[in-house]
Amino acid sequence: GAVVSQHPSWVICKSGTSVKIECRSLDFQATTMFWYRQFPKQSLMLMATSNEGSKATYEQGVEKDKFLINHASLTLSTLTVTSAHPEDSSFYICSARSEAQGLHPYNEQFFGPGTRLTVL
Amino acid sequence: QKEVEQNSGPLSVPEGAIASLNCTYSDRGSQSFFWYRQYSGKSPELIMSIYSNGDKEDGRFTAQLNKASQYVSLLIRDSQPSDSATYLCAVNQLKAAGNKLTFGGGTRVLVKP
């Protein structure tokens, strides 16, 4: 159980275009999903918290108009990188928090496999 | 002071030995603690969760928590080359809205055959 998928697994795009990344919880419902970014040899950096049915909460320094988040259902959140530039090239990873407290009492987060974005 | 601190390593361990990883955290209100394993180029994988002081064992892994010392550790027994990865310590801080996790920088472990 607790499987999270992401699509696409990798994407190469031209500078100035927009890229959408999907994050799905496959076998559980997730009121809350999280989006992280990871640059080579660095740790995870939380970008935003995605809440089903409400606006996302962005971390300090993360531009909400550039990184659009939509959490349309209890199993799907999307991250759109708008007007992507080479400095946006990174490994984007989502995670989902299980709401089944009896099964996951510690509010564990389960990660998707990640999306590697390369902006030319 | 970083909120969650780990030694970056690399921690070099002979195959079959015990790997000992340490993590300290600054927020005394933290309640849940996690160890994730991350292979190069892959996303993190949850390997241990711990909530109460003491030890928690799962297979070859043992997590140890000491809230008074604000310290959590991970022991890997009978280390195998496949254990070579970066291990991330993560802390769930109650004071943060949305149960956000704060990650340490990770400890790179190399298990040598």
Side-chain angles (χ1 to χ4, degrees):
Chain A
V3 179
V4 178
S5 71
Q6 268 184 257
H7 178 81
S9 56
W10 60 270
V11 58
I12 301 173
C13 69
K14 293 183 179 180
S15 185
T17 60
S18 294
V19 174
K20 180 185 282 190
I21 302 170
E22 291 187 350
C23 177
R24 294 181 185 271
S25 56
L26 297 185
D27 53 0
F28 66 99
Q29 293 185 331
T31 305
T32 308
M33 292 184 174
F34 303 86
W35 287 96
Y36 295 84
R37 182 166 53 181
Q38 187 175 36
F39 293 105
K41 299 190 184 302
Q42 295 186 22
S43 191
L44 297 169
M45 186 195 81
L46 179 66
M47 299 175 66
T49 301
S50 171
N51 303 295
E52 188 266 337
S54 65
K55 292 182 179 180
T57 303
Y58 291 82
E59 295 300 300
Q60 189 174 9
V62 178
E63 299 175 58
K64 62 179 181 180
D65 294 329
K66 180 170 181 62
F67 299 99
L68 301 179
I69 291 172
N70 184 7
H71 195 150
S73 74
L74 287 173
T75 59
L76 173 64
S77 176
T78 61
L79 168 68
T80 301
V81 183
T82 62
S83 186
H85 291 283
E87 58 266 29
D88 298 323
S89 299
S90 188
F91 191 39
Y92 291 86
I93 313 171
C94 73
S95 72
R97 185 166 62 92
S98 171
E99 300 304 313
Q101 293 297 311
L103 185 62
H104 302 294
Y106 301 135
N107 291 315
E108 292 95 330
Q109 288 184 26
F110 298 94
F111 285 85
T115 297
R116 192 163 301 282
L117 170 64
T118 302
V119 184
L120 302 177
Chain B
Q1 180 189 6
K2 293 182 180 178
E3 293 183 65
V4 180
E5 293 205 53
Q6 297 179 251
N7 188 317
S8 61
L11 175 65
S12 185
V13 179
E15 183 174 359
I18 296 175
S20 178
L21 290 75
N22 304 316
C23 173
T24 58
Y25 60 95
S26 60
D27 183 5
R28 286 195 173 274
S30 302
Q31 290 205 335
S32 302
F33 307 85
F34 309 92
W35 284 98
Y36 287 85
R37 177 177 62 198
Q38 186 175 25
Y39 292 113
S40 181
K42 303 294 184 181
S43 68
E45 172 192 10
L46 180 65
I47 56 172
M48 288 290 284
S49 307
I50 189 165
Y51 180 83
S52 303
N53 278 327
D55 295 0
K56 180 182 178 184
E57 185 175 320
D58 184 359
R60 296 187 295 112
F61 300 102
T62 298
Q64 299 172 317
L65 175 61
N66 184 326
K67 289 186 178 180
S69 300
Q70 295 175 242
Y71 175 93
V72 58
S73 65
L74 178 71
L75 299 177
I76 307 173
R77 290 182 301 281
D78 188 24
S79 296
Q80 301 297 309
S82 59
D83 295 326
S84 297
T86 297
Y87 290 79
L88 301 170
C89 172
V91 175
N92 186 326
Q93 298 177 305
L94 255 195
K95 69 178 181 181
N99 284 310
K100 294 187 293 186
L101 288 182
T102 300
F103 285 86
T107 297
R108 187 171 163 225
V109 173
L110 295 173
V111 181
K112 296 186 175 180

